[in-house]
Amino acid sequence: STDEIVLNEDSRKVPCGAGLDCSPPQIVNKEIVSPPSLVPTVLSEEDEEIINSVVKGSTPSYTLESKLGDCKKAAAIRREALQRLTGKSLTGLPLEGFDYESILGQCCEMPVGYVQIPVGIAGPLLLDGIEYSVPMATTEGCLVASANRGCKAIHLSGGATSVLLKDGMTRAPVVRFASAQRAAHLKFFLENPNNFENLSMIFNKSSRFARLQNIKCTIAGKNLYMRFTCSTGDAMGMNMISKGVQNVLDYLQNDFSDMDVIGISGNFCSDKKAAAVNWIEGRGKSVVCECVIKGEVVKKVLKTNVAALVELNMLKNLTGSAMAGALGGFNAHASNIVTAVYIATGQDPAQNVESSHCITMMEAVNDGQDLHVSVTMPSIEVGTVGGGTQLASQSACLNLLGVKGANRESAGSNARLLATIVAGSVLAGELSLMSALAAGQLVRSHMKYNRSSKDVSKVSS
């Protein structure tokens, strides 16, 4: 029956390696029951010897991959050693079914398993005349359904359009001189148009795709911050631009030998932090996405009206965010969509901080009958090569969007397209959540789809 589901004997015995019993939980009377206690399987004498050496500290855990020459076995042994060291079971954290070779040296160090995040599909998103099925990796109930409703409203209204305004990754080293005057000399040198061609040539040697666009400097006392901006092809580009910056710093030492390089990143970039410089100047891809939603669609699909949406947007996304002192947060939940798409497509999820900078605008048009809605996002940082984009699951999601890998015909086109899809998805998410708020549907939706209806006040402690 649905009230009592007990897994059969075969389904409970899921091999997990390294002596782990990865039994899934049983469901009894709709309650989650923890799996049985950890019961180690028989380990070889060689495995036991290595595990014991890790536990004793004679073999560093991070050396297991090179020592064993087998990434999966290294993860399994590390996992077992960790359990013995901590006395805590990792039952429930999968080990099997993952390619550990694919992350070696580039994605994750000292793995002991992987976390499963469900991927839902929102769409089709009709953007610039093309339909996209948008993969979203999330554990938040109603998020995919909400984005899907927004996609439907956009589709029924003829689709959204996007414009890419800028495309340039940034890196800003900080250097120190003995005096502010000397720091200013370098600032003037770097910002002199007559020197740009030579600096660009030095910078561009680092990559086939890195092309220096500009250098903007600012001074704090005798410290100089140099913000380099460059194109990076289909890569997100942090490593690429860092190499180019290092080339320039090495070159500058010839004429500015008194320059003390404090750090290749001085936070004037600014990466993974909410910063006005990204909000104003942009970082990565700067995109505007817009759509005119028909009044009939607002009523029938979004269950509200144009006037209510315009008023709520003004008081919530604009005025409310201003009262909160928001920095780039003039939206309803852009980071929800950005993060879900980022995780699904192998982006750096920490870059959701600046990538979620967004201002949502809503205006009544066509004599107040229809709704013009737009999202302006100045710092979407994405790539379709490198990092987590090459992992099997993430690569499949990129392939679904038609942006997998590097674009051989037009370098950078795949990454730019992905950025516009992110913005279009955010547009859909903004439409749906704002409509739910305007119609008073938000709490009801969550109660219906992902919250218990139990009256907890009547449950004894």
Side-chain angles (χ1 to χ4, degrees):
S1 70
T2 55
D3 288 334
E4 182 173 350
I5 304 174
V6 181
L7 301 176
N8 63 47
E9 196 67 17
D10 290 335
S11 67
R12 288 204 306 270
K13 296 179 179 178
V14 181
C16 200
L20 300 183
D21 179 9
C22 290
S23 305
Q26 299 181 53
I27 303 175
V28 180
N29 295 327
K30 293 185 180 179
E31 296 289 335
I32 298 296
V33 180
S34 298
S37 301
L38 187 70
V39 181
T41 56
V42 178
L43 296 167
S44 69
E45 291 185 8
E46 181 183 0
D47 291 340
E48 281 289 353
E49 187 176 326
I50 298 172
I51 291 169
N52 289 332
S53 68
V54 173
V55 171
K56 293 176 182 177
S58 55
T59 297
S61 178
Y62 64 84
T63 66
L64 287 173
E65 278 78 8
S66 59
K67 180 181 178 67
L68 300 174
D70 185 331
C71 292
K72 180 182 176 183
K73 186 175 182 180
I77 287 178
R78 178 181 297 113
R79 179 186 180 115
E80 181 64 24
L82 179 63
Q83 292 188 119
R84 296 184 187 184
L85 279 166
T86 63
K88 305 292 185 181
S89 170
L90 286 177
T91 298
L93 181 69
L95 178 72
E96 298 290 333
F98 189 82
D99 180 10
Y100 293 94
E101 297 281 350
S102 67
I103 64 173
L104 182 63
Q106 54 194 0
C107 287
C108 179
E109 298 74 44
M110 296 186 285
V112 294
Y114 60 96
V115 173
Q116 297 165 304
I117 302 178
V119 176
I121 295 296
L125 170 67
L126 182 56
L127 178 65
D128 298 321
I130 301 175
E131 292 184 346
Y132 299 96
S133 295
V134 183
M136 298 173 63
T138 182
T139 56
E140 180 178 346
C142 296
L143 181 60
V144 178
S146 180
N148 192 63
R149 182 173 76 150
C151 289
K152 180 179 180 181
I154 291 172
H155 203 295
L156 291 174
S157 297
T161 56
S162 67
V163 180
L164 189 135
L165 305 174
K166 295 181 183 178
D167 180 9
M169 182 48 63
T170 65
R171 174 58 87 200
V174 55
V175 300
R176 177 185 294 164
F177 288 89
S179 68
Q181 186 179 54
R182 187 62 175 152
H185 286 163
L186 179 53
K187 170 181 166 64
F188 298 146
F189 175 84
L190 291 170
E191 294 182 344
N192 186 335
N194 295 328
N195 297 324
F196 181 79
E197 184 176 351
N198 190 40
L199 291 170
S200 180
M201 182 181 67
I202 299 299
F203 182 97
N204 295 347
K205 288 180 179 178
S206 64
S207 168
R208 291 180 298 153
F209 303 105
R211 294 295 177 265
L212 185 63
Q213 295 174 354
N214 61 70
I215 307 173
K216 294 185 178 181
C217 302
T218 191
I219 284 180
K222 59 182 182 177
N223 304 297
L224 177 66
Y225 297 80
M226 304 171 276
R227 193 172 192 258
F228 290 74
T229 304
C230 83
S231 59
T232 57
D234 283 303
M236 183 270 287
M238 288 296 296
N239 292 333
M240 191 182 298
I241 191 172
S242 295
K243 292 176 184 177
V245 168
Q246 187 63 58
N247 285 350
V248 174
L249 291 175
D250 293 342
Y251 168 77
L252 291 174
Q253 291 279 188
N254 296 324
D255 293 323
F256 296 87
S257 57
D258 54 336
M259 178 182 73
D260 183 12
V261 179
I262 304 302
I264 197 167
S265 175
N267 276 11
F268 187 50
C269 313
S270 175
D271 188 44
K272 302 174 184 176
K273 289 163 283 291
V277 69
N278 294 335
W279 178 236
I280 297 169
E281 297 287 345
R283 187 171 198 254
K285 278 70 173 168
S286 300
V287 181
V288 179
C289 189
E290 64 182 342
C291 182
V292 174
I293 306 297
K294 298 175 182 178
E296 184 179 356
V297 174
V298 172
K299 293 178 182 178
K300 293 186 176 180
V301 177
L302 301 178
K303 310 299 182 184
T304 184
N305 61 78
V306 173
L309 279 173
V310 172
E311 181 181 42
L312 177 62
N313 189 70
M314 179 185 69
L315 293 178
K316 171 182 167 64
N317 289 340
L318 305 183
T319 309
S321 294
M323 295 301 293
L327 178 57
F330 297 90
N331 59 80
H333 71 149
S335 68
N336 247 341
I337 308 297
V338 170
T339 305
V341 176
Y342 271 28
I343 294 174
T345 59
Q347 310 305 310
D348 187 337
Q351 288 185 321
N352 80 81
V353 177
E354 62 269 40
S355 295
S356 297
H357 279 337
C358 171
I359 182 167
T360 300
M361 304 289 288
M362 293 185 180
E363 179 184 347
V365 294
N366 300 329
D367 296 325
Q369 298 302 307
D370 302 325
L371 176 75
H372 180 276
V373 56
S374 68
V375 292
T376 303
M377 305 179 68
S379 48
I380 300 176
E381 300 160 345
V382 292
T384 58
V385 296
T389 66
Q390 64 187 6
L391 301 180
S393 300
Q394 292 83 339
S395 180
C397 290
L398 288 170
N399 188 58
L400 177 66
L401 293 171
V403 295
K404 177 182 175 181
N407 190 304
R408 303 299 179 186
E409 297 178 357
S410 178
S413 294
N414 283 357
R416 288 191 288 270
L417 177 55
L418 178 57
T420 63
I421 293 172
V422 169
S425 302
V426 168
L427 183 69
E430 291 291 280
L431 264 175
S432 188
L433 176 56
M434 290 295 287
S435 298
L437 289 170
Q441 298 171 330
L442 182 65
V443 174
R444 291 199 298 272
S445 295
H446 279 269
M447 290 298 291
K448 179 179 180 180
Y449 294 110
N450 72 321
R451 289 292 183 273
S452 170
S453 59
K454 183 186 298 183
D455 184 352
V456 295
S457 66
K458 297 179 180 179
V459 180
S460 59
S461 59

